[in-house]
Coordinates of all heavy atoms in Angstrom, one line a residue:
D9 N 96.5 122.5 114.1 CA 97.6 123.2 113.9 C 98.8 122.2 113.6 O 99.2 121.4 114.3 CB 97.9 123.9 115.2 CG 99.0 124.9 115.1 OD1 99.5 125.3 114.0 OD2 99.4 125.6 116.1
Y10 N 99.3 122.4 112.3 CA 100.4 121.6 111.8 C 101.7 122.0 112.4 O 102.1 123.2 112.2 CB 100.4 121.7 110.2 CG 101.4 120.9 109.7 CD1 101.5 119.4 109.7 CD2 102.4 121.5 108.9 CE1 102.4 118.6 109.3 CE2 103.4 120.6 108.3 CZ 103.4 119.1 108.5 OH 104.3 118.4 107.8
C11 N 102.4 121.2 113.0 CA 103.7 121.4 113.8 C 104.8 120.7 113.3 O 105.4 119.7 114.0 CB 103.5 121.3 115.2 SG 102.1 122.4 115.9
P12 N 105.4 120.8 112.2 CA 106.5 120.0 111.6 C 107.8 120.1 112.4 O 108.6 119.1 112.5 CB 106.6 120.3 110.2 CG 106.1 121.8 110.2 CD 105.0 121.8 111.2
T13 N 108.1 121.3 112.8 CA 109.4 121.5 113.5 C 109.4 120.7 114.8 O 110.4 120.1 115.1 CB 109.6 123.0 113.6 OG1 109.6 123.8 112.4 CG2 111.1 123.3 114.3
R14 N 108.3 120.8 115.5 CA 108.3 120.1 116.9 C 108.4 118.6 116.6 O 109.1 117.9 117.5 CB 106.9 120.4 117.4 CG 106.6 119.5 118.6 CD 107.4 119.6 119.8 NE 107.3 121.0 120.4 CZ 108.1 121.5 121.5 NH1 109.0 120.6 122.0 NH2 107.9 122.7 121.8
N15 N 107.9 118.2 115.5 CA 107.9 116.7 115.2 C 109.0 116.2 114.2 O 109.0 115.1 113.9 CB 106.6 116.2 114.7 CG 105.5 116.4 115.7 OD1 105.2 115.5 116.5 ND2 104.8 117.6 115.8
D16 N 109.9 117.1 113.9 CA 111.0 116.8 113.0 C 110.4 116.2 111.6 O 111.0 115.2 111.1 CB 112.0 115.9 113.6 CG 113.3 115.8 112.8 OD1 113.7 116.8 112.0 OD2 114.1 114.7 112.8
E17 N 109.5 117.0 111.2 CA 108.8 116.6 109.8 C 108.8 117.6 108.7 O 108.0 117.8 108.0 CB 107.4 116.2 110.1 CG 107.1 114.9 110.9 CD 105.7 114.5 111.1 OE1 104.8 115.3 111.1 OE2 105.5 113.3 111.1
Q18 N 109.9 118.4 108.8 CA 110.1 119.6 108.0 C 110.1 119.1 106.5 O 109.7 119.9 105.5 CB 111.4 120.3 108.2 CG 111.4 121.0 109.5 CD 111.9 120.2 110.7 OE1 111.9 119.0 110.6 NE2 112.6 120.9 111.5
E19 N 110.4 117.8 106.2 CA 110.5 117.3 104.8 C 109.3 116.6 104.3 O 109.3 116.1 103.3 CB 111.7 116.4 104.7 CG 113.0 117.0 105.0 CD 113.3 118.3 104.3 OE1 113.1 118.3 103.1 OE2 113.7 119.3 104.8
T20 N 108.3 116.6 105.2 CA 106.9 115.9 104.8 C 106.3 116.7 103.5 O 106.3 117.9 103.6 CB 105.9 116.0 106.0 OG1 106.4 115.4 107.2 CG2 104.6 115.3 105.7
G21 N 105.9 115.9 102.6 CA 105.4 116.5 101.3 C 104.1 117.0 101.4 O 103.3 116.7 102.3
R22 N 103.7 117.7 100.3 CA 102.4 118.3 100.2 C 101.3 117.3 100.3 O 100.3 117.5 101.0 CB 102.5 119.0 98.8 CG 101.0 119.7 98.5 CD 101.0 120.3 97.0 NE 99.8 120.8 96.6 CZ 99.5 122.1 96.8 NH1 100.2 122.9 97.4 NH2 98.2 122.5 96.4
E23 N 101.5 116.2 99.5 CA 100.3 115.2 99.6 C 100.0 114.6 100.9 O 98.9 114.3 101.3 CB 100.5 114.2 98.5 CG 100.5 114.6 97.1 CD 99.3 115.4 96.8 OE1 98.1 114.9 97.1 OE2 99.3 116.5 96.1
E24 N 101.1 114.4 101.8 CA 100.9 113.9 103.0 C 100.3 114.8 104.0 O 99.4 114.5 104.8 CB 102.1 113.4 103.6 CG 102.1 113.0 105.0 CD 101.2 111.8 105.4 OE1 100.9 111.1 104.4 OE2 101.0 111.6 106.5
I25 N 100.6 116.1 103.9 CA 100.1 117.2 104.7 C 98.6 117.2 104.4 O 97.7 117.3 105.3 CB 100.7 118.5 104.4 CG1 102.3 118.5 104.9 CG2 100.1 119.7 105.2 CD1 103.0 119.7 104.5
I26 N 98.2 117.2 103.1 CA 96.8 117.4 102.8 C 96.0 116.2 103.2 O 94.9 116.3 103.6 CB 96.7 117.7 101.2 CG1 97.3 119.0 100.8 CG2 95.3 117.5 100.8 CD1 97.5 119.4 99.3
R27 N 96.7 115.1 103.0 CA 96.0 113.7 103.4 C 95.6 113.8 104.9 O 94.5 113.5 105.3 CB 96.9 112.6 103.2 CG 96.3 111.2 103.5 CD 97.3 110.1 103.7 NE 98.1 110.2 104.9 CZ 97.4 109.9 106.1 NH1 96.3 109.4 106.2 NH2 98.3 110.0 107.1
R28 N 96.5 114.3 105.8 CA 96.2 114.3 107.2 C 95.0 115.3 107.4 O 94.2 115.0 108.3 CB 97.4 114.9 108.0 CG 98.5 114.0 107.9 CD 99.8 114.3 108.7 NE 101.0 113.5 108.7 CZ 102.0 113.7 109.4 NH1 102.1 114.6 110.2 NH2 103.0 112.9 109.1
Y29 N 94.9 116.4 106.7 CA 93.8 117.4 106.9 C 92.5 116.8 106.5 O 91.4 116.9 106.9 CB 94.1 118.7 106.3 CG 94.9 119.6 107.3 CD1 96.2 119.8 107.1 CD2 94.3 120.1 108.3 CE1 97.0 120.4 108.0 CE2 95.0 121.1 109.2 CZ 96.3 121.2 109.1 OH 97.0 122.1 109.9
R30 N 92.6 116.1 105.3 CA 91.5 115.3 104.7 C 90.8 114.2 105.8 O 89.7 114.1 105.9 CB 91.8 114.7 103.4 CG 90.6 114.2 102.7 CD 91.0 113.4 101.4 NE 91.7 114.4 100.5 CZ 91.1 115.4 99.8 NH1 89.7 115.5 99.8 NH2 91.6 116.2 99.1
V31 N 91.8 113.5 106.4 CA 91.4 112.5 107.3 C 90.5 113.1 108.4 O 89.5 112.6 108.8 CB 92.6 111.7 107.9 CG1 92.1 110.8 109.0 CG2 93.1 110.8 106.8
F32 N 91.0 114.2 108.9 CA 90.5 115.0 110.0 C 89.1 115.6 109.6 O 88.1 115.5 110.3 CB 91.3 115.9 110.7 CG 90.9 116.5 111.8 CD1 90.7 115.6 113.1 CD2 90.5 117.8 112.2 CE1 90.3 116.0 114.3 CE2 90.0 118.1 113.5 CZ 89.9 117.4 114.5
T33 N 89.0 116.2 108.4 CA 87.8 116.8 107.9 C 86.9 115.6 107.8 O 85.6 115.8 108.2 CB 88.1 117.3 106.5 OG1 89.0 118.3 106.6 CG2 86.7 117.8 105.9
E34 N 87.1 114.4 107.3 CA 86.2 113.3 107.1 C 85.7 112.9 108.5 O 84.6 112.4 108.7 CB 86.8 112.1 106.5 CG 87.0 112.4 104.9 CD 87.8 111.5 104.1 OE1 88.2 110.5 104.9 OE2 88.0 111.6 102.9
A35 N 86.5 112.8 109.6 CA 86.3 112.4 111.0 C 85.3 113.4 111.6 O 84.4 113.0 112.2 CB 87.5 112.3 111.8
L36 N 85.5 114.7 111.3 CA 84.6 115.7 111.8 C 83.3 115.7 111.2 O 82.3 115.8 111.8 CB 85.2 117.1 111.5 CG 86.3 117.5 112.5 CD1 86.8 118.9 112.2 CD2 86.0 117.5 114.0
N37 N 83.3 115.3 109.9 CA 81.9 115.4 109.1 C 81.1 114.2 109.6 O 79.9 114.2 109.5 CB 82.2 115.2 107.6 CG 82.6 116.5 107.0 OD1 82.3 117.5 107.5 ND2 83.4 116.4 105.9
K38 N 81.9 113.2 110.1 CA 80.9 112.0 110.6 C 80.3 112.3 111.9 O 79.2 111.8 112.1 CB 81.9 110.7 110.8 CG 82.4 110.1 109.6 CD 83.3 108.9 109.9 CE 83.9 108.2 108.7 NZ 84.7 107.1 109.0
V39 N 80.8 113.1 112.7 CA 80.3 113.5 114.0 C 79.6 114.7 114.1 O 78.5 114.8 114.9 CB 81.4 113.3 115.1 CG1 82.1 111.9 115.2 CG2 82.6 114.5 114.9
D40 N 79.9 115.7 113.3 CA 79.2 117.0 113.3 C 79.7 117.9 112.1 O 80.7 118.6 112.3 CB 79.5 117.8 114.5 CG 78.7 119.0 114.8 OD1 78.0 119.4 113.8 OD2 78.8 119.8 115.8
P41 N 78.9 117.7 111.0 CA 79.3 118.5 109.8 C 79.3 120.0 110.0 O 79.9 120.6 109.1 CB 78.2 118.1 108.8 CG 77.6 116.8 109.3 CD 77.8 116.8 110.8
E42 N 78.7 120.4 111.0 CA 78.7 122.0 111.2 C 79.7 122.5 112.1 O 79.9 123.6 112.3 CB 77.2 122.3 111.8 CG 76.2 122.0 111.0 CD 74.9 122.5 111.5 OE1 74.9 123.0 112.7 OE2 73.8 122.3 110.9

């Protein structure tokens, strides 16, 4: 769950948001792709 308001990150750009989700997807795929 992305929470920019709580973290004062309302100006975080599209590429950084997508990067964070990509990092976590890759982490999950390493331990359990399902």
Side-chain angles (χ1 to χ4, degrees):
D9 193 5
Y10 183 60
C11 301
T13 303
R14 166 68 65 184
N15 293 272
D16 196 23
E17 292 187 329
Q18 295 93 327
E19 303 304 318
T20 300
R22 176 184 177 91
E23 294 307 315
E24 172 59 16
I25 294 171
I26 296 173
R27 184 197 70 80
R28 293 186 189 185
Y29 276 100
R30 187 179 302 280
V31 168
F32 192 63
T33 296
E34 292 172 353
L36 289 180
N37 285 340
K38 287 181 181 179
V39 296
D40 186 355
E42 296 183 358

